[in-house]
Amino acid sequence: MSETTDLTAAAPDPAAWTCPAPLSERSRVVMGHGGGGMLSAELVRDVFAPAYGGAALAQAGDAAQLSLGGVRLAFSTDSFVVRPLFFPGGSIGDLAVNGTVNDLAMSGARAAYLSCGFILEEGVELETVARVAEALGAAARAAGVEVATGDTKVVEAGHGDGVYVNTAGIGLIPAGVDLRPQRVVPGDVVIVSGAIGVHGVAIMSVREGLEFGVEIESDCAALGGLVDTMLAVTPELHVLRDPTRGGLAAALNEIAAASGTGVVIREREVPVPPAVANACAVLGLDPMYVANEGKLVAFVPREHADAVLDAMRTHPLGTEARIIGEVVADHPGMVVARTGLGGTRVVDLPVGEQLPRIC
């Protein structure tokens, strides 16, 4: 008995299929739109940028660089929805300060003032709110920034996650400093300030109750002092980026795309702590895509790279800094990694995110 195919049968409907990774074309928001990867970029490009317009938004940096009354300012805002609110090495209050301070620092600016907006869920304990506020205030003082204004809203129970925080910040950009991806050229050296993947794994371990033999603490920290140390060597740094959502991979891809250059990294030179590597192996994650909250990546002219690296290593937040790669004219807009076995792999921009709500 032979089998035949019914050519008149209805074809399967792709719209009804499901996929573990978010698809690029969707009519509704998915979690990946907030992950700092390809879906986030498409959301900004296709929805927000056309609606807002403006040259400042088109810079697409961690902070907008503005000129106001003859003064160069950096201006940035960020929202924080991390769960749990308190984790090894920090809290949502620390993130709310350091995240915005670091965005400003990536423009070379030293943060001066922050705004702070709290969205509280009905029923959250006031003691919890007070702990977040105290952590936020302590982080602001440590970063040398003042919380100058704020706002509070309360949403009904079940319509929030305890505490959400938004911060915006402004700071002055020193004369002679021009940090933007368009300045990146072939021959530039790529430097990372320290071990990657620590924050994302710290959040996941405490959220899911996972144990990896050693407690992993978030690297959450304000990077303004480290940037000042680097700029003291030379103001001719080309671009800085703090690799938060989407990790180091997303930051490198964004810079490569904006500069029209290729980036080659040496995989063995990328500092990944053993605890992070082990955790990622267990969870099936790539450390290159895991979020950081106290690290930066710098693209530096080759002639200044050694001096900048030496200066970074004198700062507490840069003791593990190392050169991990260089900029090339080949494969513009693409990041590739030379593996320890002598091969090459493409390091793509992530589609969504590996870890939910890490900031």
Side-chain angles (χ1 to χ4, degrees), residues 70-155:
V71 176
R72 293 177 67 216
L73 295 174
F75 178 39
S76 185
T77 186
D78 207 342
S79 299
F80 301 87
V81 295
V82 68
R83 179 170 54 85
L85 299 176
F86 303 92
F87 47 83
S91 69
I92 192 172
D94 300 281
L95 286 175
V97 171
N98 295 336
T100 296
V101 165
N102 291 346
D103 284 347
L104 297 175
M106 297 307 104
S107 296
R110 198 67 188 266
Y113 297 101
L114 295 180
S115 69
C116 178
F118 274 76
I119 300 177
L120 307 176
E121 182 182 13
E122 181 185 22
V124 66
E125 295 183 357
L126 286 176
E127 180 184 358
T128 298
V129 178
R131 286 181 63 195
V132 172
E134 289 167 2
L136 194 152
R141 289 187 291 273
V145 63
E146 181 179 347
V147 179
T149 188
D151 182 52
T152 304
K153 293 292 188 294
V154 177
V155 298

Side-chain angles (χ1 to χ4, degrees), residues 65 105-108 177-181 183 231 235 237-240:
Q65 300 183 37
M106 297 307 104
S107 296
V177 174
D178 184 15
L179 299 174
R180 50 192 173 89
R183 297 193 65 209
L231 291 173
L237 307 180
H238 283 167
V239 70
L240 303 176

